[in-house]
Amino acid sequence: MRPDPLVVFTPSGKRGRFAKGTPVLTAARQLGVDLDSVCGGRGICSKCQITPSYGEFSKHGVTVAPDALTEWNSVEQRYDDKRGLKPGRRLGCQACVMGDVVIDVPPESQVHRQVVRKAASARPIIMDAATRLYYIEVAEPDMHEPTGDLERIARALREQWQIPGITTDLSTLSRLQPVLRKGGWKVTVALHKTSETALPRLVSIWPGLHEKGLYGLAIDLGSTTIAAHLTDLETGLVVASSGIMNPQIRYGEDLMSRVSYAMMNPGGDREMTTAVREAIDTLAIDIAREADVDPALILELVFVCNPVMHHLLLGIDPVELGQAPFALATSDALNLEARELGLSSLPPSSNVYILPCIAGHVGADAAAVALSEEPGKSEDLVLIVDVGTNAELLLGNTSRVLACSSPTGPAFEGAQISSGQRAAPGAIEAIRIDPVTREPRFRIIGSELWSDEDGFDLAAAASGITGICGSGIIEAVAELRLAGLMDPSGLLGSAEQTGSPRMIPEGRTHAYVIHDGTAEGGPLITVTQGDIRAIQLAKSALYAGARLLMDEMGVDTVDRVVLAGAFGAHISAKHAVVLGMIPDVPLDKVTSAGNAAGTGARIALCNLAARAEIERVVRRITKVETAIEPRFQEHFVAANAIPHKTDPFSELAKIVTLPNVSFNASGDREGRRRRRSS
Ligand code: FES
């Protein structure tokens, strides 16, 4: 007797023998091949598309005859007429096996498809959405066998999809009856699971086959900005990204000033909660409009945020986070419904997932960075620095991962800098100072040209040259040091001391003129002594945090550094090391991960298993508290020098020679005061 036909699926390589007449979808399911279906094989959803291959396949030991599958049928023809099937494609639920066959499952037909990422080094996202669609045919009510509509939906899911039970909430329950009747008892339901083993929750329902998709929002709730990515929950593709300023800024620039606002003003925490929730509502509506997506289809939200934002989003007074022992109301991940956060622009039963916090100062944003960058899977010792108003640091390898946060303040973002501005067209983002002439040249956001190149003036005319953004100020300070215009203590020299007329008096100190646009009514853009002090404070806090983690790990060096955060993407590795922002490593060991917290949010949005993974990983991360650690202060003071008072920075010395200048003995008041106090 001839054996049953052999079916080989690619790219999985799964194979098995099936009786003639078995639908390809059934064969795929029995072998555990990842082939999608929303309609359960009724030939109406087209999710099960496959591509059979014919001919000789020595690799698989199979010859596929032209009649290996049943003939193209009327259901496929109807679908092709209506929507069009790509040439060579068949519907897996309609085509049946008749002989040995090799079947390719294209990426669009895989539930667990990989999301295309822009950067080759970036972690791929595998789709495994927590909310899925199921088309069902529900039994009509029968007076002789009284059951509720919900119970008959549950029975249809059990019989047609082997889903053992469901729960729902009142807002969805109230929509069931009209939708069931409108759909003629044929409906599509969206079921959400909080974990692989949890009972699914019915979160939405549509008449007939729902073909408009499902969407989710990955939200990076920062102290300064709120960024959101609207993501297709079937493909994982971001259909729109948008951001707005966090309106809580009016209550305080940084986290601690917001905590103090809550402490000093009764009801202040509630004001900030209302402000941020309203902003998220506005952002959700705007981003849905931009992508032409009905907000009713946004059924999931994932938030990453620092602990203070976390508490204020949840409506929890953050006062405990302002004082030792910095107790969180909860550090666990949370699953809520949009209604509980008062988000009125979205369906009330949309699921809100908030990543776990690592500690009172290290939040769900750092957890998201850990999810995206996976320090615990790194063979070499990696330091991940998420630079923002507050810097989060992770240090680890396969043996251990440590985390802390460091209060860098907003200087790295261009705030509290005399000519500072946010990253926008016209802002100086890169600068070089000639070590001989001490003349600057720079680039502004919005133009690829350097200021000494032909065409720059024309390119800059539209935006003007308006200020310096975060990456620009870091480069400027490092370049001042490289050009010998600033000494290791951070003191700027005078015009006489440096021989540069660009050093102008600024009160009792000096400032370096990068660009003077005053003749045309533009700004005078300088780096002042105060700017340098602000950057020194920020970089010392960052470096001290890193050193504290290295102490805890028992090491003096790290193998590589990853700069994360939207701003991290623009920092030049060389300038970061010259400044002593990060530990001394070879420059080719410094990489940028872009917005790793946002990426972590997207991973958690698209992949249910990743949520379980980060919840597990966070429990194993050792938290180091900078605020109460006396060595933090020591490291902070030593890190004030540029690049550092005691650490040798020998890797840096291999590529640059830092000028041996000192402006302390200049006779100026600053110098005298510093000498007296030392
Ligand atoms: S499973 Fe829906 S069309 Fe085949």
Side-chain angles (χ1 to χ4, degrees):
M1 203 174 92
R2 282 173 66 86
D4 284 336
L6 178 68
V7 183
V8 180
F9 284 98
T10 59
S12 66
K14 289 185 174 159
R15 50 165 62 206
R17 292 193 178 274
F18 293 89
K20 280 188 179 177
T22 306
V24 172
L25 178 65
T26 307
R29 285 193 167 158
Q30 287 181 13
L31 289 173
V33 170
D34 187 16
L35 179 57
D36 201 358
S37 161
V38 166
C39 73
R42 293 180 176 85
I44 54 172
C45 72
S46 85
K47 298 284 181 191
C48 62
Q49 292 183 32
I50 48 136
T51 311
S53 303
Y54 300 96
E56 183 83 39
F57 295 90
S58 51
K59 182 174 160 208
H60 302 300
V62 180
T63 302
V64 183
D67 58 356
L69 294 179
T70 47
E71 282 182 9
W72 180 257
N73 71 13
S74 58
V75 174
E76 290 170 299
Q77 188 58 49
R78 194 179 62 220
Y79 189 85
D80 195 23
D81 292 343
K82 239 170 102 186
R83 301 280 167 80
L85 271 174
K86 281 189 188 160
R89 290 275 175 90
R90 302 282 309 265
L91 293 182
C93 62
Q94 301 301 312
C96 298
V97 176
M98 296 304 285
D100 292 352
V101 66
V102 175
I103 286 174
D104 185 55
V105 180
E108 334 59 289
S109 301
Q110 297 170 14
V111 180
H112 300 100
R113 71 193 79 174
Q114 186 169 321
V115 180
V116 181
R117 301 290 310 279
K118 286 193 194 109
S121 61
R123 171 184 169 160
I125 300 178
I126 307 292
M127 286 311 295
D128 173 21
T131 305
R132 299 238 177 109
L133 295 173
Y134 299 88
Y135 174 82
I136 46 174
E137 293 179 1
V138 181
E140 293 189 30
D142 179 347
M143 267 204 306
H144 304 293
E145 239 183 278
T147 48
D149 286 347
L150 177 64
E151 289 69 34
R152 270 175 285 106
I153 287 177
R155 192 167 82 209
L157 284 165
R158 194 165 50 242
E159 290 171 359
Q160 293 162 36
W161 290 96
Q162 292 73 51
I163 292 170
I166 52 164
T167 62
T168 194
D169 61 290
L170 189 54
S171 71
T172 313
L173 186 60
S174 66
R175 294 179 46 230
L176 295 188
Q177 298 204 305
V179 175
L180 276 167
R181 280 142 188 92
K182 187 172 175 197
W185 306 97
K186 294 176 180 151
V187 290
T188 306
V189 293
L191 299 186
H192 172 83
K193 284 205 293 187
T194 52
S195 72
E196 221 31 82
T197 51
L199 215 52
R201 185 164 62 90
L202 174 61
V203 289
S204 199
I205 182 166
W206 298 268
L209 179 71
H210 172 72
E211 294 184 280
K212 293 203 171 131
L214 283 188
Y215 295 87
L217 276 175
I219 301 180
D220 184 359
L221 171 55
S223 8
T224 311
T225 53
I226 309 173
H229 303 291
L230 183 64
T231 307
D232 181 324
L233 289 181
E234 288 179 310
T235 63
L237 296 178
V238 174
V239 294
S241 293
S242 189
I244 50 172
M245 296 303 281
N246 186 333
Q248 292 175 343
I249 285 181
R250 63 176 177 265
Y251 304 101
E253 285 262 347
D254 57 31
L255 296 176
M256 279 311 129
S257 47
R258 284 182 220 170
V259 174
S260 355
Y261 184 82
M263 282 173 168
M264 313 296 288
N265 300 278
D269 58 317
R270 284 197 298 282
E271 280 175 59
M272 289 189 276
T273 295
T274 306
V276 76
R277 288 177 176 181
E278 282 175 2
I280 292 164
D281 256 333
T282 307
L283 181 59
I285 291 170
D286 287 353
I287 199 169
R289 189 180 299 130
E290 187 188 326
D292 201 15
V293 164
D294 179 356
L297 300 178
I298 302 177
L299 290 185
E300 287 211 54
L301 291 96
V302 165
F303 279 96
V304 300
C305 44
N306 62 55
V308 174
M309 293 301 103
H310 175 273
H311 277 39
L312 287 172
L313 171 68
L314 291 171
I316 300 170
D317 190 338
V319 59
E320 291 301 328
L321 299 172
Q323 60 207 15
F326 313 107
L328 289 152
T330 177
S331 56
D332 281 351
L334 292 171
N335 277 290
L336 307 163
E337 289 170 32
R339 132 195 51 235
E340 294 178 79
L341 295 185
L343 300 176
S344 55
S345 64
L346 301 170
S349 44
S350 292
N351 189 267
V352 176
Y353 177 76
I354 305 179
L355 270 77
C357 288
I358 298 177
H361 274 156
V362 193
D365 45 1
V369 172
L371 180 59
S372 143
E373 293 305 306
E374 303 182 302
K377 291 186 183 166
S378 172
E379 289 298 330
D380 49 10
L381 186 62
V382 57
L383 174 72
I384 303 165
V385 182
D386 190 357
V387 189
T389 307
N390 219 47
E392 274 81 38
L393 298 107
L394 293 159
L395 175 70
N397 55 20
T398 47
S399 64
R400 213 173 157 213
V401 178
L402 313 174
C404 74
S405 77
S406 205
T408 45
F412 284 151
E413 295 185 291
Q416 292 174 4
I417 298 295
S418 58
S419 298
Q421 69 158 87
R422 64 188 185 84
I428 294 175
E429 60 167 348
I431 176 166
R432 300 288 176 272
I433 300 176
D434 188 304
V436 179
T437 64
R438 269 103 187 240
E439 283 299 294
R441 60 196 189 97
F442 54 83
R443 240 182 24 220
I444 58 168
I445 296 178
S447 167
E448 286 301 303
L449 297 171
W450 285 89
S451 56
D452 57 351
E453 287 178 316
D454 286 346
F456 174 82
D457 292 342
L458 196 63
S463 61
I465 302 164
T466 49
I468 315 176
C469 67
S471 59
I473 190 72
I474 287 174
E475 292 202 0
V477 178
E479 286 286 324
L480 286 167
R481 176 78 185 93
L482 285 166
L485 295 166
M486 181 182 80
D487 72 13
S489 75
L491 200 62
L492 288 171
S494 63
E496 299 73 49
Q497 286 166 325
T498 61
S500 169
R502 285 189 175 265
M503 305 304 308
I504 58 168
E506 164 91 15
R508 295 171 179 174
T509 57
H510 301 98
Y512 178 76
V513 177
I514 297 178
H515 173 73
D516 185 355
T518 49
E520 301 88 45
L524 176 68
I525 300 174
T526 59
V527 181
T528 67
Q529 192 63 64
D531 297 340
I532 289 174
R533 293 294 176 236
I535 289 293
Q536 276 179 293
L537 292 180
K539 78 102 178 173
S540 305
L542 190 57
Y543 190 82
R547 279 303 316 191
L548 213 54
L549 294 184
M550 289 157 74
D551 288 353
E552 180 69 28
M553 190 68 93
V555 296
D556 277 326
T557 55
V558 300
D559 296 322
R560 60 191 179 95
V561 175
V562 176
L563 297 173
F567 164 62
H570 304 286
I571 301 176
S572 124
K574 177 181 164 189
H575 293 94
V577 179
V578 169
L579 197 60
M581 267 177 81
I582 53 174
D584 185 37
V585 284
L587 293 189
D588 61 353
K589 294 289 181 189
V590 183
T591 54
S592 164
N595 184 0
T599 303
R602 283 184 54 215
I603 294 172
L605 180 63
C606 294
N607 188 297
L608 184 58
R611 300 184 192 180
E613 179 191 330
I614 193 58
E615 290 166 25
R616 222 175 22 250
V617 164
V618 159
R619 280 195 282 274
R620 291 206 308 267
I621 293 179
T622 307
K623 301 89 188 164
V624 176
E625 187 51 72
T626 50
I628 51 163
E629 178 53 66
R631 278 171 309 159
F632 181 82
Q633 200 53 31
E634 285 167 33
H635 286 316
F636 180 85
V637 172
N640 229 264
I642 295 174
H644 196 273
K645 191 169 176 190
T646 48
D647 287 354
F649 275 73
S650 42
E651 286 296 336
L652 179 66
K654 289 179 193 164
I655 51 164
V656 293
T657 307
L658 293 171
N660 186 15
V661 289
S662 169
F663 301 120
N664 290 1
S666 64
D668 64 36
R669 286 164 186 267
E670 173 82 2
R672 277 203 299 275
R673 198 169 60 240
R674 287 159 66 88
R675 278 200 304 283
R676 265 206 308 276
S677 61
S678 64

